[in-house]
Amino acid sequence: MKLIAGLGNPGKKYDKTKHNTGFMALDHYLNKNNLNLDKDKFDGLWTKQKINGEDVIFLEPQTFMNDSGKSIAQVANFFKIAPEDILVIHDDMDMPIGKIRIRANGKSGGHNGIKSIMACLGTNNFNRLKIGIRHPQKESVVSWVLSPFNDEQQKLMNAAFEVSENVINDFIKGKNAQYLMNQYN
């Protein structure tokens, strides 16, 4: 069984903000595949689907970014999903807008959602699909991550969401982290 979680903040106020890149990428995948998050439990919105013979849970924690780990750990524990079968999609300020990078483990890079997941799972051994939102030049980090993309940036993000769809499909097919890194980094 696989768990694919997009990170973001719940509520209309945050819908199109940079920090909701994980939600946006997962929503893109779900929309393209005529799926929706039809369950509200485990502090998140989720659905369980059978894809290519694999049980897959898609999850958007509704705990706010800094507590994302609570929801992910509840789902992982309930369904007995190993950390290496988890893919977390999130924004990354250390990469240019729209750039994609796959990581199999590692540190949080200062991302509070990832810190929360590491604390709640008790490991850093889960996969990440990081999508760049770049670091703000002049404004505060909080203002930057809680602001929407402009039209030019949104085009780059839309292209990233198309690539992320392929990453998700390959992950579901059982491609390992090394394959994903070689293919998409």
Side-chain angles (χ1 to χ4, degrees):
M1 182 177 289
K2 305 278 189 214
L3 169 57
I4 299 169
L7 300 189
N9 286 309
K12 290 271 180 243
K13 172 179 170 181
Y14 301 105
D15 259 357
K16 302 291 181 192
T17 63
K18 293 175 184 76
H19 222 19
N20 276 28
T21 293
F23 280 4
M24 288 184 255
L26 188 56
D27 288 344
H28 173 88
Y29 180 89
L30 295 170
N31 289 335
K32 289 286 274 278
N33 291 280
N34 296 313
L35 301 172
N36 59 14
L37 303 173
D38 55 3
K39 295 173 182 63
D40 185 350
K41 191 178 174 184
F42 307 117
D43 291 316
L45 299 174
W46 63 284
T47 189
K48 182 179 174 192
Q49 301 291 324
K50 182 148 315 259
I51 300 174
N52 299 329
E54 180 76 49
D55 285 327
V56 182
I57 294 174
F58 297 99
L59 170 69
E60 290 181 357
Q62 300 295 295
T63 53
F64 287 96
M65 183 66 79
N66 296 356
D67 286 327
S68 298
K70 278 191 210 172
S71 177
I72 289 171
Q74 286 178 60
V75 171
N77 291 334
F78 184 84
F79 290 102
K80 301 186 179 6
I81 301 170
E84 55 273 9
D85 289 325
I86 298 173
L87 177 66
V88 177
I89 309 167
H90 66 92
D91 61 299
D92 190 306
M93 283 193 313
D94 295 328
M95 299 187 316
I97 290 180
K99 175 143 176 66
I100 284 186
R101 175 172 285 140
I102 312 295
R103 291 280 313 262
N105 52 38
K107 297 182 177 162
S108 69
H111 194 288
N112 289 328
I114 298 300
K115 285 180 189 173
S116 171
I117 296 166
M118 290 166 71
C120 292
L121 289 179
T123 183
N124 67 354
N125 191 31
F126 55 91
N127 302 287
R128 300 114 197 241
L129 165 50
K130 304 179 346 169
I131 303 175
I133 63 167
R134 103 170 149 68
H135 203 279
Q137 270 86 38
K138 295 184 170 71
E139 60 190 292
S140 77
V141 166
V142 171
S143 295
W144 177 252
V145 300
L146 296 181
S147 68
F149 295 105
N150 66 31
D151 290 344
E152 183 182 319
Q153 294 166 343
Q154 190 62 57
K155 284 180 189 166
L156 295 170
M157 294 306 289
N158 290 343
F161 298 154
E162 290 290 327
V163 174
S164 69
E165 185 181 353
N166 296 330
V167 174
I168 292 168
N169 283 326
D170 281 346
F171 182 75
I172 292 169
K173 289 175 189 167
K175 302 292 186 185
N176 66 24
Q178 191 60 54
Y179 172 89
L180 296 174
M181 288 187 280
N182 290 342
Q183 191 74 18
Y184 297 103
N185 285 0

